[in-house]
């Protein structure tokens, strides 16, 4: 039962809700992955990678809040609990221990690619049912693609 009444039909709300919930999981997990790598990165490019990782964390956290609030606005209960993340994330596990700067970049680029691919799928499915949610997904995907580009440029 939703306490929030939405202008979306039940069918559209389901599609949009699934897209927003998936985006929320991806963003929260991306922020955790980036922070884990941030704490453990070592190497000659430590400082630049360390700082870039915090930028990814900030972006993911900002957009996760926007996505969760949009879900609430359309009558979907956002779920960012750790158990939900563990069951539904598609991002690979971060290696244990210290992570060389070149490996840190690879881990982040791989995580960003997974999330970006999933966001692009969500952009497609929200086109008809809710262009407002689609716009949020487009904006956040553009930011994630910018981070992916910058990390790749770091390792070129």
């Amino acid at each position: 039962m939703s306490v929030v009444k939405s202008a979306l039909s039940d069918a559209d709300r389901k599609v949009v809700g699934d897209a927003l919930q998936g985006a929320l999981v991806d963003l929260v997990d991306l922020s955790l992955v980036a922070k884990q790598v941030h704490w453990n990165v070592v190497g000659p490019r430590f400082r630049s990678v360390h700082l870039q990782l915090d930028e990814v964390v900030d972006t993911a956290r900002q957009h996760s809040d926007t996505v969760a609030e949009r879900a609430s606005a359309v009558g979907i209960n956002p779920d960012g609990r750790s158990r939900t993340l563990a069951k539904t994330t598609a991002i690979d596990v971060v290696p244990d221990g210290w992570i060389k700067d070149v490996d840190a970049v690879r881990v982040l680029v791989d995580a960003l690619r997974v999330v970006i691919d999933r966001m692009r799928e969500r952009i497609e499915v929200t086109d008809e049912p809710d262009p407002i949610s689609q716009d949020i997904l487009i904006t956040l995907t553009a930011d994630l693609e910018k981070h992916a580009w910058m990390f790749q440029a770091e390792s070129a």
Side-chain angles (χ1 to χ4, degrees), residues 41-45 49 99-108 154-155:
V41 66
V42 294
R45 294 183 322 197
V49 173
I99 305 170
K100 290 186 176 193
D101 50 9
V102 293
D103 296 328
V105 169
R106 181 192 42 77
V107 167
L108 248 293
E154 175 78 24
S155 63

Side-chain angles (χ1 to χ4, degrees), residues 5-155:
K5 302 300 177 208
S6 172
L8 301 178
S9 70
D10 288 344
D12 287 349
R13 198 166 65 97
K14 168 81 171 108
V15 170
V16 172
D18 288 348
L20 293 172
Q21 177 59 38
L24 178 62
V25 165
D26 284 350
L27 290 166
V28 172
D29 197 27
L30 180 63
S31 73
L32 295 172
V33 165
K35 206 53 158 163
Q36 182 65 26
V37 175
H38 168 90
W39 294 324
N40 291 285
V41 66
V42 294
R45 294 183 322 197
F46 163 81
R47 182 161 172 72
S48 64
V49 173
H50 187 79
L51 294 173
Q52 278 183 288
L53 289 163
D54 266 345
E55 292 173 9
V56 172
V57 171
D58 291 345
T59 296
R61 287 180 178 170
Q62 176 188 5
H63 285 299
S64 65
D65 195 50
T66 300
V67 166
E69 289 175 354
R70 178 63 187 163
S72 293
V74 297
I76 301 299
N77 182 0
D79 186 355
R81 298 174 296 173
S82 59
R83 181 171 292 162
T84 302
L85 296 176
K87 285 194 271 185
T88 58
T89 189
I91 300 173
D92 284 338
V93 175
V94 175
D96 291 340
W98 302 114
I99 305 170
K100 290 186 176 193
D101 50 9
V102 293
D103 296 328
V105 169
R106 181 192 42 77
V107 167
L108 248 293
V109 168
D110 290 349
L112 284 162
R113 282 186 183 140
V114 166
V115 173
I116 289 165
D117 288 347
R118 289 167 49 112
M119 291 300 177
R120 286 183 161 277
E121 292 170 6
R122 294 176 184 120
I123 289 167
E124 283 185 37
V125 301
T126 55
D127 178 35
E128 279 296 315
D130 189 22
I132 296 165
S133 294
Q134 183 193 44
D135 186 53
I136 290 169
L137 296 171
I138 289 169
T139 300
L140 75 87
T141 302
D143 287 348
L144 296 177
E145 288 179 344
K146 181 177 178 183
H147 285 299
W149 159 59
M150 290 185 167
F151 268 106
Q152 290 174 68
E154 175 78 24
S155 63

